[in-house]
């Protein structure tokens, strides 16, 4: 069949010689090319922060920048700051800073809204661009909002598309001439498993399906090449590896070849051709700006912009290499230090198949994570039994990994987790 091309598998060298002692870990940190990045972040005292995949650390510059935005641009400048402080162009300006991290052109990325909302807009636009095709393919166990958004979209359409949910390994083969859209999260939020973006995208395009990637756990964590892969659309999150702060705006990417035909469903004045003409009828802006709907959250956008500045001089290949080393060091150390504690690796063992996180199954995962947090090692728990550790390479070091596993070993050896306090479920896990 013409729509089933050969799959290519490009392998990079794997990870070798990782530190196994505190001294080796410190020596590795000392020659880490990214070591100066860590100083740009506020890391709370007595904390090993392994949750940057959920909420990135605060860049030190962000506090000062927000003070300036609040006290000068807002308090003094007031409405004038839309022009004087260029608030009006924040979506494009911040989008352009995200572009090089994801293999995009500067005018193909907009910072706006949340990941959920952007997903809705782009998925709806994609379906509209594919009349006559009935299937939307996604995978089970995808991040809940991604699934809910697609379910809600399907529910809202008069001619309801068929939402097809298939395990990762079956997706490429299932894409066919009836597929309107394939929507996948590049790095799985629980396991950290990485999809072969190039191969799946190629398969989708060969069948005329549109490919929409969620880069929430990829942007800022590993190099992504959307244009190189020929992808169509993408969304991603600002508060994880991009360090934009809690609830930071998200981003939307659409390949330039689609800008003219794009028609997203949430028409608002910021996406209008001339917002301040205040006309009665909607006329979409040219280019990607029509993806905007309403007023930018200026404080959140300013924080995200400050976080992104820290990526300006980062070589993403160097960052990826460090990330693979940190995750590999963590896996090997846990298995060496706690061989009988009942941890089962939930992430791919091959670093080429893994994002910047490591997850383990454990029946007592919730209590173990609470005990870890009590000892200053912050990761998180994902139901039913996964403990998850994110290694943000800009500020996590090899010594952190070594020390975190020592503390975990201690908690397991002495059953510190086996305490009623640690079984009390919080609202956010
Ligand atoms: C974090 C994350 C989101 C977040 O969506 P919000 O709209 O910001 O709440 C969406 N999708 C994936 C895959 C995520 O990891």
């Amino acid at each position: 069949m013409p729509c089933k091309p050969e799959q290519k598998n490009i392998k990079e060298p794997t990870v070798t010689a990782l530190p196994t002692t505190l001294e080796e870990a410190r020596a590795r940190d000392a020659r880490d090319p990214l070591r100066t990045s860590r100083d740009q972040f506020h890391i709370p005292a007595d904390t090993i922060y392994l949750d940057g995949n959920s909420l990135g650390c605060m860049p030190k510059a962000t506090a000062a920048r927000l003070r300036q935005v609040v006290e000068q641009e807002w308090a003094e400048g007031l409405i004038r700051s839309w022009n004087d402080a260029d608030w009006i162009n924040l979506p494009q300006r911040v989008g352009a800073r995200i572009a090089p991290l994801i293999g995009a052109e500067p005018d193909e990325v907009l910072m706006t809204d949340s990941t959920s909302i952007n997903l809705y807009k782009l998925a709806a636009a994609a379906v509209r661009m594919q009349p006559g095709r009935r299937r939307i393919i996604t995978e089970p166990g995808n991040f809940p909002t991604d699934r809910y958004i697609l379910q809600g979209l399907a529910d809202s359409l008069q001619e309801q598309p068929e939402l097809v949910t298939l395990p990762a390994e079956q997706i490429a083969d299932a894409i066919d001439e009836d597929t309107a859209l394939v929507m996948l999260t590049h790095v799985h939020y629980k396991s950290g498993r990485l999809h072969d973006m190039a191969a799946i995208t190629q398969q989708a395009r060969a069948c005329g399906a549109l490919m929409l990637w969620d880069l929430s756990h990829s942007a800022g964590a590993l190099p992504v090449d959307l244009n190189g892969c020929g992808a169509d659309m993408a969304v991603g999150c600002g508060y994880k590896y991009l360090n934009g702060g809690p609830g930071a705006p998200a981003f939307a990417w659409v390949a330039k070849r689609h800008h003219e035909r794009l028609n997203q469903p949430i028409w608002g004045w910021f996406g209008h051709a001339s917002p301040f003409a205040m006309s009665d009828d909607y006329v979409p802006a040219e280019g990607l700006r029509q993806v905007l709907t309403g007023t930018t959250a200026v404080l959140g956008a300013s924080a995200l912009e400050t976080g992104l500045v820290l990526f300006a001089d980062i070589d993403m290949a160097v960052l990826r290499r460090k990330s693979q080393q940190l995750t590999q060091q963590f896996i090997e150390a846990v298995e060496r230090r706690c061989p009988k504690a009942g941890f089962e690796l939930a992430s791919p063992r091959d670093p080429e198949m893994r994002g910047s996180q490591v997850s383990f199954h454990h029946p007592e995962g919730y209590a173990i994570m609470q005990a870890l947090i009590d000892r200053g090692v912050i990761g998180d728990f994902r139901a039913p039994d996964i403990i998850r550790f994110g290694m943000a390479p800009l500020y996590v070091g090899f010594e952190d990994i070594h020390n975190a596993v020592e503390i975990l070993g201690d908690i397991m050896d002495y059953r510190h987790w086996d305490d009623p306090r640690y079984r009390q479920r919080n609202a956010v896990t």
Side-chain angles (χ1 to χ4, degrees):
M1 259 195 286
C3 101
K4 309 279 172 205
E6 289 291 307
Q7 288 194 12
K8 268 194 300 198
N9 213 351
I10 303 152
K11 287 260 170 191
E12 282 168 23
T14 36
V15 170
T16 51
L18 293 165
T20 59
T21 64
L22 181 59
E23 291 68 34
E24 285 169 9
R26 284 183 174 157
R28 182 62 74 98
D29 280 334
R31 54 190 167 82
D32 171 15
L34 298 179
R35 75 187 171 285
T36 52
S37 281
R38 182 188 177 94
D39 301 333
Q40 309 295 316
F41 289 89
H42 175 84
I43 315 262
D46 303 318
T47 301
I48 300 174
Y49 192 68
L50 303 179
D51 215 1
N53 54 327
S54 216
L55 175 61
C57 280
M58 187 192 73
K60 288 174 182 165
T62 303
R65 173 68 184 132
L66 284 186
R67 180 172 283 275
Q68 184 188 33
V69 175
V70 170
E71 293 183 351
Q72 289 168 30
E73 296 180 10
W74 175 13
E76 298 294 330
L78 287 169
I79 197 78
R80 293 169 290 193
S81 290
W82 282 102
N83 292 316
D84 296 348
D86 201 32
W87 287 349
I88 192 71
N89 288 313
L90 271 166
Q92 291 86 343
R93 206 163 78 214
V94 182
R97 283 199 178 272
I98 296 169
L101 302 178
I102 59 174
E105 295 294 319
D107 58 352
E108 290 177 321
V109 188
L110 276 181
M111 174 220 62
T112 187
D113 296 318
S114 64
T115 307
S116 304
I117 301 295
N118 290 332
L119 201 53
Y120 185 83
K121 291 177 183 178
L122 296 193
V127 170
R128 280 183 176 177
M129 287 161 75
Q130 298 275 56
R133 290 178 177 244
R134 288 182 313 110
R135 303 172 86 204
I136 298 176
I137 299 180
T138 188
E139 65 177 319
N142 197 350
F143 191 81
T145 211
D146 298 56
R147 295 189 48 82
Y148 303 159
I149 289 288
L150 294 181
Q151 288 166 6
L153 171 63
D155 187 65
S156 74
L157 297 173
Q158 218 151 41
E159 254 180 79
Q160 293 205 352
E162 181 195 2
L163 204 51
V164 182
T165 296
L166 288 169
E169 59 281 4
Q170 293 175 24
I171 286 175
D173 281 339
I175 304 170
D176 61 11
E177 276 86 359
D178 197 27
T179 306
L181 174 68
V182 182
M183 192 272 126
L184 293 172
T185 299
H186 184 215
V187 176
H188 195 276
Y189 78 105
K190 265 197 212 174
S191 67
R193 185 227 52 229
L194 193 59
H195 275 299
D196 187 338
M197 179 181 280
I200 298 177
T201 301
Q202 192 187 9
Q203 183 68 49
R205 287 198 67 180
C207 298
L210 292 170
M211 184 73 228
L212 197 172
W213 289 103
D214 185 332
L215 303 178
S216 288
H217 290 275
S218 315
L222 61 154
V224 175
D225 191 5
L226 288 167
N227 277 324
C229 292
D232 298 288
M233 299 175 176
V235 296
C237 184
Y239 50 78
K240 292 170 179 160
Y241 293 97
L242 301 182
N243 308 307
F251 64 88
W253 171 81
V254 180
K256 211 169 282 175
R257 64 181 178 279
H258 297 309
H259 286 189
E260 204 159 321
R261 281 182 61 214
L262 199 70
N263 179 9
Q264 65 89 4
I266 312 180
W267 296 359
W269 70 311
F270 268 62
H272 191 278
S274 44
F276 289 90
M278 302 289 181
S279 59
D280 273 356
D281 293 313
Y282 183 74
V283 179
E286 284 200 9
L288 196 59
R289 189 164 63 79
Q290 69 137 294
V291 171
L292 298 183
T293 298
T295 308
T296 299
V298 170
L299 302 185
S302 302
L304 175 55
E305 184 172 37
T306 311
L308 284 163
V309 170
L310 299 183
F311 281 96
D313 299 320
I314 300 295
D315 178 340
M316 290 304 284
V318 169
L319 180 136
R320 171 66 171 154
R321 188 148 191 83
K322 179 180 176 189
S323 153
Q324 290 179 312
Q325 291 171 345
L326 291 170
T327 53
Q328 192 70 16
Q329 180 197 5
F330 187 80
I331 292 170
E332 289 176 13
V334 169
E335 293 180 342
R336 197 168 49 237
R337 178 68 180 77
C338 320
K340 302 227 164 65
F343 291 113
E344 186 202 329
L345 186 63
S347 300
R349 202 167 277 283
D350 177 356
E352 297 299 322
M353 302 294 294
R354 199 164 63 220
S356 203
Q357 67 174 67
V358 174
S359 305
F360 284 98
H361 296 281
H362 195 290
E364 296 294 346
Y366 186 82
I368 292 168
M369 184 51 73
Q370 300 317 301
L372 276 168
I373 293 169
D374 227 13
R375 298 272 304 266
V377 179
I378 302 182
D380 59 25
F381 172 79
R382 288 292 176 263
D385 66 348
I386 283 194
I387 52 173
R388 194 173 72 145
F389 302 88
M391 287 75 185
L394 287 190
Y395 51 79
V396 173
F398 296 92
E399 182 177 348
D400 292 324
I401 300 299
H402 178 86
N403 292 339
V405 176
E406 284 303 308
I407 293 169
L408 176 64
D410 205 49
I411 286 169
M412 300 315 291
D413 288 351
Y414 299 100
R415 294 178 66 89
H416 289 319
W417 54 268
D418 194 6
D419 183 317
R421 266 177 323 147
Y422 296 143
R423 296 184 191 280
Q424 206 78 41
R425 296 266 170 144
N426 292 318
V428 175
T429 64

